[in-house]
Amino acid sequence: MSGKVALVPTMGALHAGHLALVAKARQRGDQVAASIFVNPTQFGEGEDFGRYPRREDEDLRMLEGAGCDLVWLPSVSDIYPDGFSTRISVSGVSERWEGEARPGHFDGVATIVAKLLLAVRPDAAVFGEKDFQQLAVIRRMVSDLGLPVDIVGLPTVREPDGLALSSRNAYLSPEERQQALCLPRALGAARAAIISGTAVADVLHEARASLRNGGFSRIDYFALVDAATLEPIEDSKGEMRLIAAAVIGTTRLIDNLAI
C-alpha cells in the first residue's frame, strides 16, 4: 500500500460505529486497512467467544461500501501459531474497572493490537471511545513500546435514542433493548448533576439505583474517573469520565460520557 495507511481493527459484526471509524481513518490516511479477528485471548471463561456474532460476508460488503482499501481476516493460527508464548501486560490504567471485572482481558487486547500494528505497520490506527479504558490501555502500550503509530480516538456513535452502538446489542430482546436505554440516560443525568454541583457520591448512588430499577441485574461499576489515569475521583475537577458497565438479561453493556 502506498502513502500513509490508517488501520481500523475490528472483531467484525460491523455496524454504523465501525463505518464511522473507517470514515475517520480516511481522513488520516491515503489508504485504509481494516482487520476482522475475533480474538480468543481477550475473552474470559464463561464469556461469549463462542456466540459472538460472526458475519464476514456482510462485513466485507460494508467495508467495501465504506471505501476500505484492504481487509485482513487472519486465522487464529496466523495470530497465535503453535508455540506462541508471549503476552503484553499494561499495568496502571488496565487494573481497575474492566480489568477487575474481566481478568486477563486487557492482556489479550494489548497483545492482539500489538500484533496487528506490527503486521500492518500503519501510520495511524482508529479506535472508538465507547471502549474508553481499552483506548487508554492501547495508548499506554504504544507509548511505552515506542511504536511509530498515531492512536486516534473517535467519540461514541449512538442510536437516535442514545444507546451506544455495539455488536452485543444484537443479543438484546426487544424488551431488553428498551430497558437498556436506562444506561445512557443514567450517565446523562449523572453528568448534569455533577456539573450542577451535586456531591459525586450522591450522584453515583442515584445512578446505580436507577439502573437497578430499570431492569439491570448486575452493575459491575458506575464511576467518575480521571480521564487520563482512570483513577476514581470524589470531587469534580479537570477532565473526567463517567464510566459504567452493567448486565441486562444475559448481555453486558459498557458506556461512558466525558465531563
Side-chain angles (χ1 to χ4, degrees):
M1 300 180 76
S2 59
K4 290 188 175 182
V5 175
L7 173 66
V8 180
T10 83
M11 293 206 303
L14 303 185
H15 50 64
H18 295 102
L19 301 187
L21 297 177
V22 173
K24 185 67 173 179
R26 294 215 64 83
Q27 299 173 10
R28 300 300 299 257
D30 303 299
Q31 304 285 332
V32 175
S35 60
I36 298 174
F37 180 67
V38 183
N39 178 35
T41 67
Q42 68 188 69
F43 289 79
E45 184 177 352
E47 292 188 344
D48 59 343
F49 174 72
R51 71 178 184 127
Y52 192 86
R54 293 163 171 84
R55 46 176 190 261
E56 285 83 2
D57 290 344
E58 182 179 346
D59 291 342
L60 290 171
R61 287 193 295 270
M62 293 174 68
L63 289 170
E64 182 179 18
C68 192
D69 299 292
L70 173 70
V71 184
W72 183 31
L73 295 88
S75 67
V76 172
S77 61
D78 290 332
I79 300 296
Y80 305 117
D82 288 344
F84 187 90
S85 57
T86 297
R87 69 175 183 176
I88 297 175
S89 181
V90 180
S91 60
V93 294
S94 71
E95 292 170 3
R96 292 183 182 269
W97 320 123
E98 290 297 287
E100 291 177 338
R102 305 177 68 190
H105 168 69
F106 284 126
D107 289 356
V109 168
T111 303
I112 183 57
V113 172
K115 290 275 289 183
L116 294 172
L117 295 178
L118 290 170
V120 179
R121 305 294 177 95
D123 299 277
V126 186
F127 297 86
E129 289 186 1
K130 185 180 77 70
D131 297 289
F132 188 73
Q133 188 175 11
Q134 172 181 279
L135 180 59
V137 169
I138 291 168
R139 282 178 166 152
R140 181 78 267 166
M141 182 264 293
V142 165
S143 175
D144 286 353
L145 297 182
L147 300 180
V149 57
D150 184 19
I151 301 299
V152 180
L154 184 73
T156 302
V157 179
R158 298 181 179 276
E159 298 278 9
D161 58 10
L163 186 67
L165 289 177
S166 170
S167 299
R168 289 185 168 92
N169 290 350
Y171 299 156
L172 299 170
S173 69
E175 180 182 5
E176 290 166 350
R177 172 63 180 75
Q178 287 304 307
Q179 292 173 317
L181 293 175
C182 290
L183 181 55
R185 289 170 181 169
L187 286 165
R191 178 170 63 180
I194 289 170
I195 291 173
S196 72
T198 305
V200 171
D202 293 340
V203 171
L204 300 180
H205 177 78
E206 177 63 27
R208 295 182 190 111
S210 71
L211 291 182
R212 287 191 292 270
N213 293 336
F216 281 83
S217 60
R218 189 182 85 222
I219 303 168
D220 286 344
Y221 56 83
F222 195 113
L224 180 68
V225 302
D226 181 280
T229 66
L230 272 74
E231 289 297 305
I233 54 181
E234 299 177 354
D235 299 303
S236 178
K237 58 182 178 181
E239 295 291 326
M240 301 173 289
R241 283 270 168 169
L242 281 162
I243 60 172
V247 174
I248 188 160
T250 61
T251 306
R252 185 175 184 272
L253 301 177
I254 64 172
D255 203 347
N256 69 87
L257 280 182
I259 305 181

